[in-house]
Amino acid sequence: SVSSSDFSFPRMTACVPSDALGRRVLCGTEYATVRYVGSVPPTAGIWLGVEWDDPQRGKHDGTYEGTQYFKCRHPRGGSFIRPNKANFGVDFLTAVKDRYGLNDEQDIQHGTENTFVFGKKSVEFVGMDSVAEQQRQVQLNQLVDISVRECAVSHAGQKEEISRTCANIRHINLSKNLISSWETVTAIASQVQKLETLIISENKMKFPSTSTSVSSVFSKLRILALNQTEITWTEVLLCAPGWPALEELYLTSNNITVLERPDNVLQSLKLLDLSDNQLLDGNQLHLIAHLPRLEQLILRNTGISSIHFPDVGFGCKTKMFPSLKRLAINDNKISQWSSINELDKLPSLRSLQCHNNPFMDTEKNPETLRQLIIAKISQLEVLNKSEILPAERKGAELDYRKIFGNDWLAAGGNWNPEKNKPSEEFLAAHPRYPSLCLKYGAPEEGELKGRQPLTLKNQLLTLTIKCPEKPEQKPVEKKLPESMTIQRVKGLLYRLLKIPGSELKLSYESAKLEGKEVELDNDLKPLQFYSIENGDCVLVRW
């Protein structure tokens, strides 16, 4: 039905702008796009047919009394409103002055415009208007970082007014306004010579559908956020020639499903965020895999179920993503460990976030899960925002080598190098296993004996405690729980040796690691973290 619901908000306009069709409007706190301007018989006067951002706000699909006046994506996403209920927004500079308290009205505080009251006397200052204007100009020119988020900005305003008034702007937040087209963004940015950061997220805009002539408007732009703007990847590539220096591009929640290879654009890009776009499949990543400087790729909740770099086999480094250091694949559908194996092919990968993927459900113990990922990706330094210390990596790799030792033997692995021929199937599941055997030696037979049930007795480690620099201290044999932290071990040693734990330095040696000592350098970690086993020797120094 036709509605003329009462709304009240500032800057109403009773007349309809000539370019109203397609414009963004605000009705109270609700955002909408104008899809129709005209009469709706039998009622009199002009109506605006709007499609609401929140379809729950609407009443129909643009059809009234059997006539379709406009179309909506949602069957109940549309309404008719009177023009005086629609806020078509303000120009950029008006919003800046409003936000930063620098508009004309806010200068008038006491008495009449140029009159100040001292006691009972009123004194008039001649020329106060021009002084106030000069002060405003100075203050606006000092602004470097401007945020006019949710200020109903819809257009640039008078030509050159921004550049004349705000000459030093470098960073602009224009998110959640009434910007209807990329053309408007360009009109604002063309007056900001030093623009480095531009956030225009949450503006439903029209973008160029054909290649545009390259201008210098965005020549210094380094950071651009286009989240929730309904931009497609094709439109990104059409605009990208105008962003020659762009380093960070945020494109979350845009319904991007298909990617294309960027040819001679986005070559300076270091960070790309495609989160909350349901990509068609993991192979879409191959199309952006040759961005030469890309260091960080954020793919949270993109629906990908697998990752594969088909250009090389296991043990080799892919030519894809040559500079990629940080990868986020949280909240996806990756169910196979083979995708984690593939990540070892990335030559520069140092940091990974992978929470909330089905493959993580295959291992209930989070500590074991973490160790498996660390062992599978050789160069990883940070996992799920937690640093991987050298001792943790060593423990993870030694454990991995032991856990899958029997599988290795069953698949054709052998201590004799000439007979060591594990199957292709085993190598596909454990591509790093041969390199771990080279690094630490093949697992010994004693290490691969069947694991006993984890009763308390079996969790106790029989360890020899020695003080190599104090020969007068005789070695002591102790049974300690493998879950005991290094801090608690130091507490035990304090009772034995009467030396404060803060002064003790612990390490251990094992028959498996001939001539090598492993430092026990993290007080919060348990003994099992360091892969200490029965019969190993804890060395105590102070």
Side-chain angles (χ1 to χ4, degrees), residues 345-374:
K345 293 180 181 179
L346 291 169
S348 305
L349 188 66
R350 297 294 181 270
S351 174
L352 176 67
Q353 292 181 45
C354 58
H355 280 309
N356 299 331
N357 277 285
F359 81 87
M360 300 187 78
D361 298 334
T362 60
E363 175 53 61
K364 290 178 182 176
N365 184 329
E367 188 67 37
T368 304
L369 184 70
R370 179 176 168 86
Q371 287 190 313
L372 288 173
I373 297 169
I374 292 169

Side-chain angles (χ1 to χ4, degrees), residues 30-31 87 96 129 152 192 207 215 306 351 390 401 486 490 539:
E30 300 286 343
Y31 289 80
N87 178 1
V96 171
D129 283 345
V192 184
F207 292 90
S215 70
S306 65
S351 174
R401 168 180 151 279
I486 303 305
K490 286 183 176 179
L539 304 173

